[in-house]
Amino acid sequence: MIVGILNQKGGVGKTTIAVNLAASLARTGARVLLIDADPQGSALDWAAARQGVPLFSVVGLPRPTVHKEIGQIGYGYDHIVIDGPPRVTDLARSAIMAADVVLIPVQPSPYDIWAADEVVKLIDEARVYKEGLKAAFVVNRKIANTAIGRDVGDALAAYPVQVLVASITQRVIFAEAAAQGKAVHEIDVDGPAAAEIEAVVAELLGFTQ
């Protein structure tokens, strides 16, 4: 499975989701590659902060040839996660073309919901060339027991892209883990953050079966 994580709005938590999804997939014993296709290099920074054995491979590839190079770079891996750029560019288009599934993180904010329009248009464009391309929204940094947290799924229903049942709540553990180059399951394997990531992965794997 090749998962591209994209949203043209910055600050939606793409890298946090990317590293934790990759870590969750790696926990199963699968060989996982994380491609940092964001010129900011946040996933590479995460890997550099880590001490000890890597959970998975991380490479930087912030150029608009990801879809052409992924076959060679990703050879031998069971799963590939692409941390995409935060703007609509040729690089974003390339990351989408490389993916089997595009995951669009959206925070429960009207601004995020409006901004999702651009990446949905890119996915529609890519389907002209890649008919089987799948896509889904994932609600990230959800604040529990708030009206906007509950209503964001309804707001996203206006787009022709499904919304994952699983969502990710705003939790301090994500920042604590990132600062150490760790995944949340390494901090609290039985905690709610790890469980939410596992639920997202389970839904994504269901797309490709």
Side-chain angles (χ1 to χ4, degrees), residues 1 21-34 54-57 76-81 201 205:
M1 176 175 67
L21 288 190
S24 177
L25 290 165
R27 285 180 70 190
T28 66
R31 291 196 67 209
V32 179
L33 173 65
L34 173 58
L55 295 175
F56 48 83
S57 302
Y77 287 94
D78 301 304
H79 301 293
I80 301 171
V81 178
V201 168
L205 287 172

Side-chain angles (χ1 to χ4, degrees), residues 72-129:
Q72 183 175 359
I73 291 172
Y75 181 79
Y77 287 94
D78 301 304
H79 301 293
I80 301 171
V81 178
I82 304 170
D83 185 12
R87 286 173 294 282
V88 172
T89 59
D90 287 343
L91 176 52
R93 288 183 175 89
S94 181
I96 289 170
M97 285 298 294
D100 301 318
V101 182
V102 178
L103 187 63
I104 310 166
V106 180
Q107 295 179 113
S109 150
Y111 303 107
D112 282 53
I113 294 163
W114 298 331
D117 189 58
E118 291 297 322
V119 74
V120 170
K121 286 177 181 174
L122 283 188
I123 291 165
D124 285 341
E125 288 175 14
R127 282 178 172 149
V128 173
Y129 307 98

Side-chain angles (χ1 to χ4, degrees):
M1 176 175 67
I2 303 174
V3 183
I5 301 175
L6 290 110
N7 192 326
Q8 67 108 25
K9 184 178 183 297
V12 295
K14 286 186 302 83
T15 301
T16 297
I17 292 174
V19 299
N20 282 286
L21 288 190
S24 177
L25 290 165
R27 285 180 70 190
T28 66
R31 291 196 67 209
V32 179
L33 173 65
L34 173 58
I35 295 177
D36 190 340
D38 186 341
Q40 294 178 350
S42 298
L44 289 172
D45 290 341
W46 174 87
R50 183 177 182 83
Q51 296 181 348
V53 179
L55 295 175
F56 48 83
S57 302
V58 183
V59 299
L61 191 61
R63 52 182 185 258
T65 52
V66 178
H67 64 296
K68 295 178 180 178
E69 297 183 58
I70 198 163
Q72 183 175 359
I73 291 172
Y75 181 79
Y77 287 94
D78 301 304
H79 301 293
I80 301 171
V81 178
I82 304 170
D83 185 12
R87 286 173 294 282
V88 172
T89 59
D90 287 343
L91 176 52
R93 288 183 175 89
S94 181
I96 289 170
M97 285 298 294
D100 301 318
V101 182
V102 178
L103 187 63
I104 310 166
V106 180
Q107 295 179 113
S109 150
Y111 303 107
D112 282 53
I113 294 163
W114 298 331
D117 189 58
E118 291 297 322
V119 74
V120 170
K121 286 177 181 174
L122 283 188
I123 291 165
D124 285 341
E125 288 175 14
R127 282 178 172 149
V128 173
Y129 307 98
K130 196 169 184 177
E131 194 174 333
L133 179 64
K134 297 179 175 66
F137 290 112
V138 60
V139 179
N140 188 37
R141 294 177 178 158
K142 186 175 180 179
I143 301 171
N145 302 317
T146 62
I148 187 66
R150 291 190 297 272
D151 296 345
V152 64
D154 293 337
L156 290 171
Y159 293 107
V161 174
Q162 78 176 79
V163 183
L164 294 189
V165 174
S167 61
I168 301 170
T169 306
Q170 174 89 316
R171 300 183 194 280
V172 174
I173 189 173
F174 285 107
E176 292 174 342
Q180 301 172 57
K182 291 184 176 180
V184 289
H185 79 262
E186 295 181 285
I187 306 292
D188 186 1
V189 69
D190 296 319
E196 288 173 350
I197 294 293
E198 294 286 320
V200 170
V201 168
E203 276 196 77
L204 287 176
L205 287 172
F207 278 13
T208 56
Q209 291 175 352

